[in-house]
Amino acid sequence: MDDYRRLADRLADDIAAGRLKPGERLPPQRVFARRRRIAGSTAGRVYGELVRRGLVVGEVGRGTFVRAAPVAATGRALTEPAEAAAPVNLELNYPSAPGQSELLAPALAPLLRPDVLAEALRPAAATGTRAAREAAAGLLAAPGWRPAPGQLVFAGNARQAIAAVLASLVRPGGRVGVEALTYPVVKEIAARLGITLVPLATDGDGPRPESVAAAHRTAPLSALYVQPALHNPTSVTMSEQRKGRLAATATDLGIPVVEDRIWSFLADDLVTPLAAYAPALTHVVDGLSKRVAPGLTVGFLVVPPHRVESVAAAVRSGGWSAGRFALEAGVRWIGDGTVAQLVAAKRADAGRRQRVLEEELRGFAVRSDPRAYYAWWELPAPWRADTFTAAAAARGVAVTPGPAFAVDPSRTPDAVRLGLASAAVPDLRRALRTLAEIAGAGDARTGR
């Protein structure tokens, strides 16, 4: 057997025996090589073998950390799958109101008549229909802001809307300023479009305007992508003062803004969009997936009037147009009050789930908003995001590790995001209780 594999076996034994604990950092490869009197390339192969076995994880700029967990006081490893309870997925985050299908069905019945169905199955333009534009404009209206129907462009869903608007604004190689923690799909979209994401300094009120100016001085930004209302994953909602300052900075520098409002329906009655402060620059993204259901949805884009054709062209060229059937269904659900009923029900549901979160994770560093369907948990030592996620998965609970949201790979948070929307409330409570037990076990092993 190769020498590097024998060394890897020894480290694996140390991990299995608990001599190397979860989250513990291994020495840098050059230090490991010097201590073992081996070549640096051999040390690299040892660490690579441990990664291949799933025992450690390497984080750029931070080092290599133990991933597998030692035996807990119960005699079972924290990463050993537990028996009994069914898995609970807190990565998924699709809210569903009680009786949702019964509410949605009546509006779909007329679409199934042959004469109506024939029309509903025709291709849809990127700018939709007149009825769709008027319905969406009314739905998206918020305090201090009401879009004109002529500003609406439609995509298949909000993700496609983000892709289309970024493609219309930013050439390959361009730079887009984003919050340091951002929606993971935006990272994927940027990679596919050849766009560089630039993390902006943030505080408890969102992105700091001075960081936008600093980033723009380094090299011009082609756009900003921000989530001013119920930011995912932290739940931060910008103050009106911060939105005003951010809009003023973008206006002074001439930087277009993409405002993601996909979760804003949970707080629309109180929150003025950023678009109200910079209407000539702001492109608003929204949709029906969270308000209604993810399976039959439409993405909305509200764009400055002079950019409607450019954005519509991006939707067409990307193949991101909304389906006509989904548009017709959406118009009916908006018009007959179904969407409003679902929004009210989901606001109440989010509040219930937040109360469960508060009860089960009291005492931990959890950041959230009482209106949000998610929470950001800054983990207690010695837990790292990766090791905690693995331990949670072994106990049947899926969570999203914090690094999935980090734009800068060298600044990865020891945190996880908890999606509260998809699991049944009793399962959610059980899952949160399990996570609290795991986190507490980690504290116990280090005497904290």
Side-chain angles (χ1 to χ4, degrees), residues 2 52 58 78 105 144 209 284 310 317 361 396 399 404 420:
D2 295 334
R52 188 189 68 78
L78 288 178
V284 175
S310 295
S317 63
L361 295 186
V399 299
L420 309 179

Side-chain angles (χ1 to χ4, degrees), residues 176-420:
V176 175
V178 297
E179 288 116 335
L181 298 172
T182 195
Y183 179 34
V185 170
V186 171
K187 295 163 62 176
E188 297 173 11
I189 291 170
R192 290 181 180 276
L193 295 177
I195 293 170
T196 298
L197 297 183
V198 180
L200 303 172
T202 60
D203 55 24
D205 203 10
R208 294 165 53 188
E210 58 269 25
S211 72
V212 175
H216 193 65
R217 282 195 301 270
T218 301
L221 297 175
S222 298
L224 301 177
Y225 167 85
V226 293
Q227 304 172 68
L230 298 179
H231 172 268
N232 177 19
T234 65
S235 301
V236 167
T237 294
M238 288 187 207
S239 67
E240 298 305 313
Q241 182 182 21
R242 174 59 58 87
K243 279 183 284 192
R245 289 182 56 215
L246 187 63
T249 299
T251 300
D252 290 344
L253 299 174
I255 305 174
V257 178
V258 180
E259 178 180 8
D260 187 341
R261 286 179 57 79
I262 194 67
W263 287 108
S264 66
F265 73 93
L266 294 170
D268 260 346
D269 292 347
L270 303 172
V271 179
T272 300
L274 185 62
Y277 294 87
L281 289 172
T282 306
H283 304 64
V284 175
V285 173
D286 210 323
L288 290 180
S289 62
K290 307 302 183 186
R291 285 180 172 88
V292 179
L296 186 63
T297 188
V298 176
F300 303 130
L301 276 163
V302 180
V303 304
H306 67 282
R307 299 217 68 248
V308 170
E309 184 48 44
S310 295
V311 175
V315 169
R316 291 191 296 269
S317 63
W320 296 314
S321 298
R324 180 69 173 268
F325 188 91
L327 270 180
E328 294 292 342
V331 168
R332 284 166 169 75
W333 287 328
I334 294 169
D336 68 7
T338 297
V339 174
Q341 291 183 65
L342 291 173
V343 165
K346 291 178 180 182
R347 288 176 179 174
D349 182 55
R352 282 192 296 272
R353 292 165 184 269
Q354 284 286 341
R355 289 191 289 275
V356 172
L357 174 77
E358 183 180 3
E359 292 165 7
E360 299 300 334
L361 295 186
R362 183 176 290 114
F364 290 104
V366 178
R367 296 166 53 190
S368 194
D369 184 296
R371 302 166 293 184
Y373 263 124
Y374 37 87
W376 183 247
W377 185 3
E378 296 173 349
L379 298 168
W383 289 111
R384 306 187 66 78
D386 189 81
T387 54
F388 186 84
T389 301
R395 294 285 298 276
V397 183
V399 299
T400 308
F405 298 89
V407 177
D408 183 348
S410 68
R411 297 174 66 87
T412 53
D414 295 325
V416 294
R417 192 204 70 169
L418 307 175
L420 309 179

Side-chain angles (χ1 to χ4, degrees), residues 73-164:
T74 60
R76 186 179 68 237
L78 288 178
T79 52
E80 178 185 334
E83 310 86 4
V88 181
N89 194 329
L90 302 186
E91 286 188 290
L92 296 177
N93 212 26
Y94 299 120
S96 179
Q100 179 168 296
S101 297
E102 290 77 7
L103 279 173
L104 295 173
L108 295 180
L111 290 176
L112 302 182
R113 283 181 14 214
D115 57 329
V116 178
L117 185 61
E119 186 67 22
L121 294 180
R122 294 176 183 273
T127 52
T129 63
R130 179 177 178 179
R133 291 191 295 273
E134 291 178 349
L139 176 70
L140 301 179
W145 182 74
R146 184 180 182 89
Q151 293 178 258
L152 266 294
V153 177
F154 300 90
N157 54 45
R159 295 181 180 190
Q160 294 178 354
I162 293 170

Side-chain angles (χ1 to χ4, degrees), residues 15-55:
I15 292 170
R19 291 186 290 272
L20 288 174
K21 294 179 171 54
E24 187 170 338
R25 182 179 178 180
L26 299 185
Q29 290 182 23
R30 66 181 182 280
V31 175
F32 181 83
R34 186 171 64 248
R35 289 175 181 172
R36 303 284 177 148
R37 298 182 180 179
I38 59 177
S41 59
T42 302
R45 296 181 76 183
V46 171
Y47 280 37
E49 177 66 13
L50 293 174
V51 170
R52 188 189 68 78
R53 298 183 192 183
L55 298 178

